[in-house]
Each structure stands twice: as C-alpha cells, then as structure tokens.
Amino acid sequence: MTASGFAPAVAIFADLTIGGTATGYSAAVTGSGTTYTVTLSGGGGGTVSLLLKSGSVADAATNSGPASNTAATTITVDRTAPAVSSFAPTTATPTNNNTIAYSLVFDEAVTGLGAGDFAISGTASGYSAAVSGSGTSYTITLSGGGDGTVILALDAGGVSDAAGNTGPSSGSTASTVTVDRTAPAVSSFAPTTSTPTNGTSIAYSLVFSEAVTGLVAGDISLSGTSHASTAYSVAVSGSGTTYTVTLTRVAPADGTVVATLGANA
C-alpha cells in the first residue's frame, strides 16, 4: 500500500502517523524532490489511515510544511475469504413440490456464484439448479427431478469478495430434502373377524404402502345386504402405515357387510 506526492521540492521528510482498525503496519519511504512513495507493510486486516503531520517537511529555504495535517484516503485491507453463514432448504421435507428452494447466505457480499458451483446428489435424479440473488443472500432453486432424496452441496472457491478473496475455503452441504410425489396406496384391507360371525362388531386391518395421516371414519363407506350403512357405526384407530377399522352394530342386521375406503381419502 503506497501514498505519494509533494510540492514544492522537499528537503526533509518526517512524521507519518498510521491509524485505523488494522494493526502491525510499518512505513518505508522512498523518493526525492517533490515525489515520494510511502509503503506500509506487516499489518493485518482492517482499515488503514496514513497522516502526514503539519510542519513535517521543509523546502530548500527551510520553510516548513504542510500548514496542516494531511491525510490520505483510508484503505480497507481484507485478506479473509468469504464464508457461508447459512445454507438450508426453505422447502419443507418431505415435499411433493415440483421445485426445491434453498437459502444461501454469506458473511459478506460476493460475486461469481452460479449453478455450476453446486453439486446435486441423493437418490433422486434429473434435477438442475438455478441461482438468483446478489450481495450476501442467494436463492437456489432445483427443478426437473423425480422422487427420492436430494442433497445440494456448494463447492469451495466459487465466489469472490470485493477485495478479490475467493471462497468459501471449504464446501458446504445443505440438509437433505425428501421428494415424494407418489400417492399412498393400500397394501392390504381385509377383515380380521372371521366370516360368518355372530359378533356385534367387525374388525378390519388396513395397511398402507407408506405412513399416512388424516384417516377418519367418514373415509369408510358401508354397503351390503345387511343395510350396513345404517346398522353399523365406524371407528378408526392406528397411525403410520397400520390402522384398524371397527364396525359396531347399532341395529339388528343380518347379511353381508362391505367396507370400502374411498379414493383420495
């Protein structure tokens, strides 16, 4: 870092003050006559100010100057690579969305981030990335893929800050998102009560292909020769993949009973 320039010709050079938030700098001076170069070295990151005190130099006639303190423009020294502050999906998991969105935040403004800076892995395939945003905050959107797990990783060294430092120094991986656009299916639905029966209740086992929520008695319709829809009440218990449907007789009813799970229940 250098500073230069005097007028008129200078016979004596003295008193430079180094300030700012950075520490550890020392000054070296070269030049003669009207033009000098001041080089600072040895310090760390932060702001650096350089001040020439009034009366520090003199011309050939021994006039001292400058008449007042003279400060050079403050310089900011930044040798720290930009780092990832946070990187996480904003789409909940599991999801049946056609796209998956992620928020990526850096600790300082960066440039150069592109889709090629990301690696997509997991059991799902076919996804491509699009990047939007600027400064410290970016959104990455994945689209075009299928069901399965999706893992998005940011490569090291893909962005730069205003001082030209490249980063992040190491890769960063967002948490895994599971994509499931396949509707749950019935694996089995059968009575566990033997037939014929003279009991006052009939039990059924209902098993789905994956864990589900929202199953209620109203999702089960009854038919048959026993006037089951009015002769029996329906109760549902269980969770996850496995449920029990219990029909309880509320009126005299001999005959067949058919329990049906409605579509998109």
Side-chain angles (χ1 to χ4, degrees):
M1 134 184 357
T2 62
S4 64
F6 289 107
V10 174
I12 303 171
F13 193 101
D15 291 353
L16 288 165
T17 300
I18 304 169
T21 61
T23 60
Y25 284 94
S26 59
V29 179
T30 59
S32 61
T34 62
T35 304
Y36 292 79
T37 297
V38 182
T39 303
L40 305 185
S41 61
T47 59
V48 180
S49 62
L50 184 62
L51 177 74
L52 175 65
K53 293 181 180 180
S54 63
S56 298
V57 296
D59 61 16
T62 70
N63 299 301
S64 61
S68 60
N69 294 339
T70 303
T73 302
T74 298
I75 292 176
T76 299
V77 178
D78 176 8
R79 303 190 192 104
T80 303
V84 173
S85 297
S86 63
F87 184 28
T90 56
T91 300
T93 185
T95 182
N96 63 357
N97 289 352
N98 291 323
T99 60
I100 309 170
Y102 298 79
S103 171
L104 172 58
V105 179
F106 293 94
D107 63 348
E108 61 179 320
V110 299
T111 58
L113 185 67
D117 296 316
F118 295 91
I120 305 169
S121 61
T123 61
S125 61
Y127 282 93
S128 60
V131 178
S132 61
S134 61
T136 61
S137 299
Y138 293 82
T139 297
I140 300 91
T141 303
L142 304 187
S143 61
D147 286 6
T149 58
V150 179
I151 303 169
L152 184 64
L154 172 66
D155 297 334
V159 299
S160 301
D161 63 15
N165 300 302
T166 59
S169 56
S170 60
S172 182
T173 303
S175 58
T176 300
V177 174
T178 299
V179 179
D180 177 6
R181 304 191 194 102
T182 303
V186 173
S187 298
S188 63
F189 186 23
T192 56
T193 300
S194 60
T195 184
T197 180
N198 63 357
T200 59
S201 64
I202 306 171
Y204 297 79
S205 171
L206 174 56
V207 179
F208 291 94
S209 59
E210 60 181 315
V212 299
T213 59
L215 183 67
V216 295
D219 297 323
I220 308 295
S221 62
L222 303 179
S223 61
T225 62
S226 64
H227 302 287
S229 61
T230 57
Y232 289 88
S233 63
V234 181
V236 176
S237 60
S239 62
T241 61
T242 305
Y243 291 82
T244 297
V245 179
T246 304
L247 309 186
T248 302
R249 192 170 64 193
V250 295
D254 288 346
T256 60
V257 178
V258 181
T260 303
L261 173 66
N264 299 319

